[in-house]
Amino acid sequence: MQKQNKPLKDYILSLDADEWLFHADVLVDKAHVVMLEEQGIIKREEAAEILKCLIKIEGDDFIEHELPSYEDVHTAIESALIKEMGEDIGGMMHTGRSRNDEVATCIRIALREELLELMKEVNELKRAIIEKAVENVDTVMPGYTHLQHAQPTTFAHHFLAHFDAFARDFSRVVNAYEHTNVSPLGAAAFASTGFPIDREKTAKLLGFDSVLENSMDAVSTRDFVIEAISCYANLMTNLSRLAEELILWSTSEFDFVRIPAEYATGSSIMPQKRNPDYAELVRARAGTVHGCLMSVLSICKALPYSYNRDLQEVTPHLLKATKTTTASVAVMNSMIEGLELKKEEMEKKAQIGFTTATELADTIVRETDVSFRTAHKIVSSLAEKGVDKVALKGVNEVARAVIGKELSELGLTEEKVKEAMNIALNIEKRAVKGGPAKKEVLRMLRTRKMVLDTDVKSRQAKEGKVKRSLEELEKEVEKKISSQLTSNGR
Ligand code: ARG
């Protein structure tokens, strides 16, 4: 006989995501109840009873004990309320709303918190990068293209490039925050409600910047989730490139840096090992976050409007992506803070691989009437011959072979060749906007410090605004409860 196919209750759950939404859901319930009372949809006494019960639920070990027995967090809280106070009053809380607008509102509140936390970590990382750059304005290192020695630069110039990438990540996260912090509450299932609810009021109490207007859009969209995870994916890609550099730079081949001991691990067999596991995991977790983005895009693709249960499957990917990204930024931040640089090694390696070849070609252009392409040919055949000490004599020899003339006849001097071969001068000459010359790097450092200051303040302003609204909500809740105690209803 075929085994009976009983429905698997667990299949419908998403417990981790629901735990994540619990505190947001209690806030949404409080704001909704305060508004229902103010609009005369429920009575003062009823609102006060419900609010008292919500405060109790909030304080209980609800997540461990109650949550797992219900379909989702929204049903769990409402059921607990009804169990505690009966359906006559407990059953009023869900008037004029649906789980569809409720869950969308909860996700936005929970995500908003995460984005604020991420902004903080990104700013810390930017600060750590600036500090390392300040200490290393004069630290010469080889710059690479194709991972081959290319031209000399400084560690400050290189690190400020990472700063700029993370500053762009920050502004992308701010955009995602702005698209997240709008209130879908009051959209109900999708067609809003016939009760005279006040959507502006709940939006304000919950710290949203505005109302997400069209009620069909409000419950259907998860584009703000896609946007947030896209920002994470971009940020993790940037982070993984920095992680990769730390991994490379800490090898015996490069030997540019020492990763702080807390972020290196030993080997179970090789006593000498200091493996860069944390950096490797940052690099790997970029892949995890990219996977979350792909999952969410695929889940949302071609879904008919408005709500479908598919949307529940989005939230765990958001949670995973958000936690992974913030933790990775935090790890990178401390790794950078404790990073030790081996300045002499870097400088020594900057001499290897004829990194001054471009400057020699440029010098030939400036000192003679030879075009850049011809100068490139001359220096390139010099490089091919593998001359280790470049002097005017050697340049003349190859020039004779390439153009049939010696460059000293055209104005090139020994002194100019020597100057071209000097690493420090190579860097100093690259003083155009954004170049590695000290003066330019110092200017960039000054403006980046200002960018960081502005970013810190803009995050604080957002956090403060939400905090004040939520304090206002708690005050309104207290007011309803205490006025019930004095007047015993109306
Ligand atoms: N747990 C659900 C979610 O995350 C809540 C919404 C359920 N709505 C419904 N119409 N079944 O999406």
Side-chain angles (χ1 to χ4, degrees), residues 396-460:
N396 275 336
E397 269 167 32
V398 286
R400 216 180 306 120
V402 177
I403 59 168
K405 264 190 238 163
E406 294 197 353
L407 291 180
S408 49
E409 289 170 39
L410 303 174
L412 186 68
T413 63
E414 190 74 83
E415 195 200 333
K416 287 290 168 192
V417 172
K418 224 163 134 192
E419 230 176 68
M421 299 311 294
N422 181 309
I423 300 271
L425 283 176
N426 265 249
I427 296 170
E428 278 326 292
K429 280 184 182 161
R430 280 153 179 76
V432 299
K433 200 174 171 71
K438 184 169 182 173
K439 178 170 130 276
E440 190 50 20
V441 167
L442 290 175
R443 184 197 62 77
M444 284 197 274
L445 267 169
R446 277 194 303 277
T447 58
R448 273 47 175 185
K449 282 180 191 163
M450 278 167 0
V451 166
L452 177 58
D453 250 20
T454 312
D455 288 351
V456 167
K457 285 193 186 116
S458 101
R459 194 203 81 90
Q460 277 167 350

Side-chain angles (χ1 to χ4, degrees), residues 220-247:
S220 306
T221 188
R222 291 294 183 272
D223 58 4
F224 68 103
V225 174
I226 295 171
E227 186 176 352
I229 307 181
S230 303
C231 296
Y232 302 156
N234 222 329
L235 170 50
M236 287 301 289
T237 299
N238 284 334
L239 209 58
S240 75
R241 296 183 72 172
L242 179 53
E244 170 67 5
E245 289 190 334
L246 297 186
I247 294 163

Side-chain angles (χ1 to χ4, degrees), residues 159-219:
F159 243 37
L160 281 181
H162 287 296
F163 176 96
D164 285 1
F166 295 126
R168 286 189 297 273
D169 283 317
F170 182 89
S171 77
R172 278 187 280 268
V173 174
V174 169
N175 284 341
Y177 180 93
E178 277 159 13
H179 285 143
T180 297
N181 201 28
V182 285
S183 176
L185 197 61
F190 74 85
S192 78
T193 174
F195 290 102
I197 60 164
D198 183 350
R199 296 191 65 195
E200 303 285 350
K201 175 75 188 182
T202 46
K204 190 159 173 282
L205 286 175
L206 290 168
F208 286 110
D209 295 327
S210 58
V211 164
L212 189 57
E213 212 171 67
N214 185 310
S215 60
M216 175 76 84
D217 177 39
V219 296

Side-chain angles (χ1 to χ4, degrees), residues 13-14 37 44 55 105 125 152 172-173 183 196 209 226 273 309 311 327 338 364 384 415 437 456:
L13 303 179
S14 77
E37 192 275 335
R44 172 66 58 101
I55 291 172
T105 311
L125 176 60
R172 278 187 280 268
V173 174
S183 176
D209 295 327
I226 295 171
K273 286 302 282 284
R309 194 63 179 242
L311 291 179
I364 293 172
E384 237 157 67
E415 195 200 333
V456 167

Side-chain angles (χ1 to χ4, degrees), residues 18 71-72 74 99-100 103 222 307 309 311-312 315:
D18 276 5
E71 188 184 320
D72 60 24
H74 324 292
R99 280 188 295 165
N100 297 354
V103 69
R222 291 294 183 272
Y307 179 86
R309 194 63 179 242
L311 291 179
Q312 176 177 289
T315 319

